[in-house]
């Protein structure tokens, strides 16, 4: 089984000239009067997805009973998260300009499909409601996960129903390239947490944390979230990585007819042996392995690409910045090396400690004689240089412009998006969360 996962991953190696980047954007969904949205019924999330289908070109990919649960389009996919957050996953693209076109298309379609029945916001944590006020989408897999998280931490319900993130996917050229990028993805996590912190509200008011979402994840399930010590090593091999991820206890397993049931704490290798999965075709085994890997929510996750999962969902003006930041670093050899050298003075144990303390102070979190802000400024410049180097082979297509909205508040004010949001809430919206949500709402671009 382990060699099969290795071979599957390595079959996705690409030449750097063919690297693509993908992005996933999650948005909290509300009714027009800013109430939580359920899955079914009038004004439910399934109705919203049905409206997308009516626009044309969107096809139903997955259903729950007769109600649509996921859609596909040539420009990406739409899925629903456990708290009826809507997620758009772009198609992999060679440039940020093409990613921007996909995002613009989705937002335009979202506004048409939602009409005057829905509102959306992109913050790391639902700014109005606690988890017990948000209905759980009645997907069997989500029910199993919800029961599991009730026994592994204090905030699993919050994670499922009330969080939203933005994820970026990058390619790799070889096993050594992948493992170096995996290590860097983990090492960057506390700095990315601070840079993209955007969850400063709880139940209608500012809370004591700028990255409340990080606090939620740290109190969900330590075996499948954060930076795992076992894989945060520069000498980690892909074989060892595969062995470790397949040995993480599963939350659910797939029955023969395709439904899900609790795995009762068994890991993939045990389940595979008990069910005789070794007799299945490699394609079938790969699919089962990917379903198992989807049950891990660590900061950097390997599939047929490297998925970087750290950023909070971003306010409209910053929606493109996570993709730009990671593409500038992870798709440029010189930027990878510069990032590793920048972080070299800090031990892995210090990175882990920093990840656990960054929730409150964000960019102002102390780091030896510096603050995270000092390091993040260098990281942004490394990313900017990487994007400009990538533009040398494509004149007129300098993607570093996508860093500008975030770079501006970081360098001029020492702000993260959370700081920007709180200032907007206090100064522009008279400390009224509903006014803030109207001012920061997702709209057609």
């Amino acid at each position: 089984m382990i060699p099969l996962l290795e071979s599957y991953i390595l079959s996705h190696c690409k030449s750097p000239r063919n690297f693509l980047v993908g992005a996933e954007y999650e948005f909290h969904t509300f009714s027009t009067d800013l109430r939580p949205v359920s899955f079914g019924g009038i004004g439910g999330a399934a109705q919203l997805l049905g409206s997308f289908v009516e626009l044309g070109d969107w096809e139903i990919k997955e259903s729950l009973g007769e109600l649509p649960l996921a859609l596909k389009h040539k420009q990406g996919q739409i899925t629903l998260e456990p708290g009826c957050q809507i997620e758009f996953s772009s198609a992999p693209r060679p440039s940020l300009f093409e990613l921007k076109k996909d995002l613009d298309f989705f937002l335009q379609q979202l506004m048409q499909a939602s009409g005057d029945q829905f509102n959306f916001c992109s913050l790391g944590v639902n700014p109005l409601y606690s988890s017990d006020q948000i209905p759980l989408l009645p997907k069997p897999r989500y029910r199993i996960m919800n029961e599991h998280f009730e026994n592994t931490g204090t905030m699993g319900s919050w994670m499922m129903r009330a969080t939203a993130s933005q994820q970026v996917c990058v390619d790799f050229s070889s096993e050594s390239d992948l493992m170096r990028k995996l290590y860097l993805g983990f090492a960057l996590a506390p700095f990315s947490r601070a840079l993209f912190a955007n969850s400063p509200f709880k139940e209608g008011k500012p809370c004591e944390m700028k990255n409340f979402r990080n606090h939620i994840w740290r109190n969900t399930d330590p075996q499948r979230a954060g930076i795992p010590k076992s894989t945060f090593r520069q000498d980690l091999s892909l074989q060892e990585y595969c062995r470790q991820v397949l040995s993480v206890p599963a939350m659910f397993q797939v029955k023969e007819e395709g439904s899900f049931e609790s795995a009762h704490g068994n890991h993939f290798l045990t389940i595979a042996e008990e069910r005789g999965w070794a007799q299945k075709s490699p394609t079938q085994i790969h699919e089962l392995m990917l379903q198992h890997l989807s049950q891990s929510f660590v900061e950097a996750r390997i599939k047929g690409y490297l998925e970087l999962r750290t950023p909070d969902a971003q306010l409209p003006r910053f929606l493109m910045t996570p993709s730009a930041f990671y593409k500038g670093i992870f798709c440029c050899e010189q930027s990878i090396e510069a990032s590793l050298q920048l972080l070299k003075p800090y031990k892995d144990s210090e990175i882990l400690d920093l990840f656990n303390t960054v929730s409150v102070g964000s960019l102002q979190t102390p780091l030896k004689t510096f603050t995270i802000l000092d390091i993040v400024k260098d990281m942004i410049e490394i990313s900017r240089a990487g994007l400009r180097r990538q533009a040398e082979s494509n004149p007129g297509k300098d993607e570093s412009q996508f860093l500008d909205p975030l770079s501006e508040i970081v360098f001029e004010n020492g702000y993260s998006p959370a700081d920007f949001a709180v200032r907007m809430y206090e100064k522009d919206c008279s400390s009224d969360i509903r006014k803030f949500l109207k001012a920061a709402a997702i709209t057609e671009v």
Side-chain angles (χ1 to χ4, degrees), residues 154-311:
T154 59
M155 304 206 75
S157 179
W158 275 86
M159 182 280 292
M160 294 187 69
R161 295 167 172 83
T163 62
S165 66
Q166 193 168 325
Q167 298 158 24
V168 181
C169 303
V170 296
D171 284 327
F172 53 91
S173 61
S174 65
E175 177 179 349
S176 60
D177 182 49
L178 172 60
M179 301 317 290
R180 190 165 64 144
K181 287 177 175 176
L182 177 68
Y183 176 82
L184 181 57
F186 287 136
L188 278 177
F191 304 95
S192 298
R193 277 281 194 229
L195 176 60
F196 297 111
N198 191 37
S199 44
F201 300 107
K202 179 182 179 183
E203 298 176 76
K205 297 179 180 179
C207 64
E208 68 277 11
M209 287 172 276
K210 296 177 182 178
N211 199 314
F212 183 32
R213 175 172 160 267
N214 188 43
H215 174 76
I216 290 171
W217 268 112
R218 288 186 55 246
N219 291 277
T220 292
D221 184 347
Q223 288 196 89
R224 63 186 75 249
I227 304 176
K229 293 181 181 179
S230 59
T231 50
F232 182 38
R233 293 181 9 228
Q234 294 201 57
D235 62 348
L236 183 73
S237 68
L238 180 59
Q239 181 182 64
E240 189 174 359
Y241 171 86
C242 292
R243 179 181 296 109
Q244 291 187 19
V245 296
L246 292 179
S247 298
V248 173
M251 290 185 287
F252 54 80
Q253 57 185 337
V254 184
K255 299 169 73 173
E256 288 300 325
E257 69 275 16
S259 63
F260 294 91
E261 64 179 359
S262 172
H264 303 294
N266 291 319
H267 57 67
F268 182 88
L269 297 175
T270 299
I271 297 169
E273 183 176 0
E274 290 177 349
R275 299 201 166 211
W277 285 351
Q279 306 306 313
K280 291 181 177 291
S281 70
T283 300
Q284 290 173 313
I285 296 173
H286 292 157
E287 181 62 32
L288 291 165
M289 286 177 170
L290 289 176
Q291 289 171 346
H292 179 77
L293 296 181
S294 73
Q295 301 176 52
S296 173
F297 309 105
V298 293
E299 297 301 297
R301 184 168 71 177
I302 298 174
K303 294 183 179 178
Y305 44 81
L306 181 65
E307 184 181 65
L308 301 157
R309 303 173 46 81
T310 300

Side-chain angles (χ1 to χ4, degrees), residues 21-23 73-77 88-94 98-99 102:
V21 61
H73 187 280
K74 64 181 180 181
Q75 289 183 266
Q77 300 184 36
F88 172 65
S89 303
S90 75
R93 301 297 187 189
E98 291 172 81
L99 276 187
D102 290 341

Side-chain angles (χ1 to χ4, degrees), residues 90-121:
S90 75
R93 301 297 187 189
S95 80
L96 297 176
F97 295 100
E98 291 172 81
L99 276 187
K100 180 67 163 54
K101 287 182 181 179
D102 290 341
L103 176 60
D104 290 348
F105 167 78
F106 166 73
L107 294 178
Q108 181 262 341
Q109 294 270 291
L110 180 66
M111 293 301 101
Q112 289 187 41
S114 60
D116 59 357
Q117 297 190 61
F118 299 93
N119 279 295
F120 308 93
C121 84

Side-chain angles (χ1 to χ4, degrees), residues 7 17 68 80 100 145 176 246 253 259 314 329 334 344:
S7 64
R17 70 173 66 92
L80 294 176
K100 180 67 163 54
M145 292 171 63
S176 60
L246 292 179
Q253 57 185 337
S259 63
Q314 295 295 296
I329 292 175
Q334 295 98 313
K344 192 173 183 179

Side-chain angles (χ1 to χ4, degrees), residues 314-326:
Q314 295 295 296
L315 295 169
R317 68 184 294 165
F318 305 125
L319 280 172
M320 286 298 298
T321 53
S323 301
F325 177 75
Y326 284 120

